[in-house]
Structure formats: C-alpha cells, structure tokens
Amino acid sequence: MAAQIAGSVGLAGSANSGEHISMFEAIHGSAPRRAGQNLANPSGLLLGAVMMLVHIGQAPIAERVHNAWLRTIEDGVHTYDIFDEGVSKQKVGTKEFGQAVVERLGKKPKTLKAVAYKQNGDQATFAEETIVKERSDTHKELVGVDVFLDWLKGSPDDLGNALNKITPGDLKLEMISNRGVKVWPGGKSETFCSDHWRCRFMSENKGASIKHEQIIDLLSRVASAGFDFIKTENLCNFDGERGYSLDQGE
C-alpha cells in the first residue's frame, strides 16, 4: 500500500521468512500485459534481491546496490510508471533502467538518504529443526462446528428444513450462510447464493461445550442424507472468548 501511494506498486520488494527457507520477490504479480515490452519497473525485483543479500549476510553488496538504485531514482532516470514531466529527466525501459543502476554502483544519493546495512555474520542461520512453541495455559473449549456443503437443490429455507430434520437432539442448526452472508434463518430472498454453504451447528444448550463424538455423529447423518460436505471447521472459545468469526447478519 505504501509503495502504491508513493507512486508505483513496482517500487517495493517483499520477503517471506520461515525457519528453514526464505523467499524474496516483488510485491506485484507477474504482469503478463507488460511482458516482452521493455516497460516494467524492475525496482521491486531489485529491492527484493537487496533484502535477500542482507538476509544471507552480504550487507556490503546490498548497500552498494541499494544506494546505486537511490542515485538512479534521484537522477531522474525513471520508468513509465513513475515518470513525471516536471520531475523526471529521462524516461527509460526495463533494461535501460537496470543499466543505469549498474553505472551508478559505488555512488550514493546526494539528496535522498543513503542506506547503511549492518553485517550480521557471514550467512543466514536457520533452525536445524522445527521448533514448536508451547502454548500458555489458555483454556480451549469446543463449542460448535461449521459444516460446508456443496449443494444446489433449492433455497436456503429448503436447506435449513432438511438439515433440521437430521440434526441430533443435542445439537442445533444455528444459521446458514452463503458467500459470507447469513441466509437462514431470516435471510433476504434477493441474496444471490452459490453452491457453497456454511452450516453452523452449536450445542442445544446455548453456550455449552460439545464433544468430537457429536460432530462425528452429525457428519454421519449429513452423509447418510445425501449431502456432500466438503470440509468442517471446529468453533472454539479461548478463555471464554470467541475464537471464530461471524458472518454478515449474525
């Protein structure tokens, strides 16, 4: 968002860092409509590479490249996406911009603030094994389940009535949503529904916890009735606080 507000989504690099592997890239997509035209701003990829160099312990090289890039921008050598008649000096393509950065290696910007990266060892270090952090003494309570159905044989009311007939007595069908909008009970007739339904079941005793065995029983009944359930999501409270989302209208 900051890159786009500053002038172009093509300006920023990004990093995804894990325990064993890290990935660096531009924040934008592949931009196929710009492919092969020598137009795209390569800054996002270049600055992603700068982040990678810092990550693997090549801070001096990263600093050299980044400052050359800043000097290029400062000198008004710009690709079409950030070119401004009142500010820019030269409108260039992808290759020409890259060459301009190469020509400024070893130079620092005069007006923009130069970067300085700290050397953090010779190379990036990763954990040799996955570390699973212990959770604190949070009290986790299973209070319901969302059952997702692939169904396109009627209205939300039809689905609600059919599910009510097969719901075990210790559970209650609380609501049905479609595309994030509550459609049963009390849905709007004009709401467009797809074939993907979220059906929320909670304890018949409002606020009470349920057991996994109840969910297994429910799914068995749903399958026996001919419904195609495609996934489930357990609903839990943590220290009495809801840990699941509500759909629009709930």
Side-chain angles (χ1 to χ4, degrees):
M1 291 174 65
Q4 185 65 47
I5 293 171
S8 171
V9 73
L11 290 175
S14 68
N16 296 272
S17 297
E19 292 178 351
H20 301 283
I21 297 173
S22 293
M23 180 182 72
F24 302 85
E25 59 184 339
I27 61 171
H28 56 72
S30 59
R33 66 193 181 98
R34 298 298 181 206
Q37 301 175 46
N38 195 36
L39 288 173
N41 189 338
S43 298
L45 286 175
L46 181 65
L47 295 181
V50 168
M51 296 170 72
M52 181 185 70
L53 288 168
V54 175
H55 180 72
I56 63 175
Q58 300 293 326
I61 300 175
E63 185 176 308
R64 183 178 172 88
V65 174
H66 198 161
N67 280 323
W69 177 82
L70 286 170
R71 181 63 177 266
T72 304
I73 295 294
E74 183 179 84
D75 287 347
V77 182
H78 300 156
T79 47
Y80 81 98
D81 55 326
I82 59 172
F83 185 84
D84 187 326
E85 290 286 354
V87 177
S88 305
K89 304 284 178 48
Q90 184 181 0
K91 190 175 186 178
V92 297
T94 310
K95 295 178 181 179
E96 291 76 18
F97 183 87
Q99 185 59 41
V101 174
V102 172
E103 293 170 356
R104 288 165 175 76
L105 287 172
K107 298 181 179 180
K108 293 185 178 181
K110 297 179 180 179
T111 303
L112 297 174
K113 183 179 180 180
V115 299
Y117 291 112
K118 293 181 179 179
Q119 182 72 31
N120 295 318
D122 295 329
Q123 60 183 10
T125 56
F126 299 96
E128 294 184 358
E129 58 181 294
T130 301
I131 300 174
V132 180
K133 297 181 179 179
E134 293 186 8
R135 193 164 55 199
S136 62
D137 296 330
T138 302
H139 176 63
K140 178 182 177 182
E141 182 183 19
L142 178 63
V143 294
V145 61
D146 281 343
V147 179
F148 293 80
L149 302 180
D150 181 357
W151 186 83
L152 196 58
K153 295 182 179 179
S155 68
D157 285 341
D158 293 332
L159 181 58
N161 292 334
L163 290 176
N164 268 330
K165 292 178 181 179
I166 61 171
T167 302
D170 50 2
L171 293 179
K172 178 182 179 182
L173 177 62
E174 285 282 335
M175 71 94 186
I176 299 173
S177 69
N178 194 294
R179 299 185 301 115
V181 178
K182 179 182 175 182
V183 295
W184 184 95
K188 304 294 184 181
S189 59
E190 62 269 21
T191 302
F192 171 77
C193 294
S194 70
D195 57 1
H196 191 83
W197 307 79
R198 179 204 297 260
C199 308
R200 176 160 293 177
F201 296 87
M202 310 289 283
S203 173
E204 177 65 28
N205 299 318
K206 189 173 181 63
S209 61
I210 67 172
K211 298 180 179 180
H212 289 97
E213 290 79 6
Q214 292 172 269
I215 297 176
I216 294 172
D217 178 32
L218 171 65
L219 293 179
S220 177
R221 292 167 180 255
V222 170
S224 295
F227 289 102
D228 178 18
F229 65 85
I230 51 181
K231 72 170 182 175
T232 63
E233 290 183 2
N234 288 356
L235 310 177
C236 298
N237 290 342
F238 296 88
D239 286 339
E241 296 292 329
R242 177 172 53 83
Y244 52 92
S245 63
L246 299 177
D247 285 320
Q248 295 180 34
E250 276 191 86

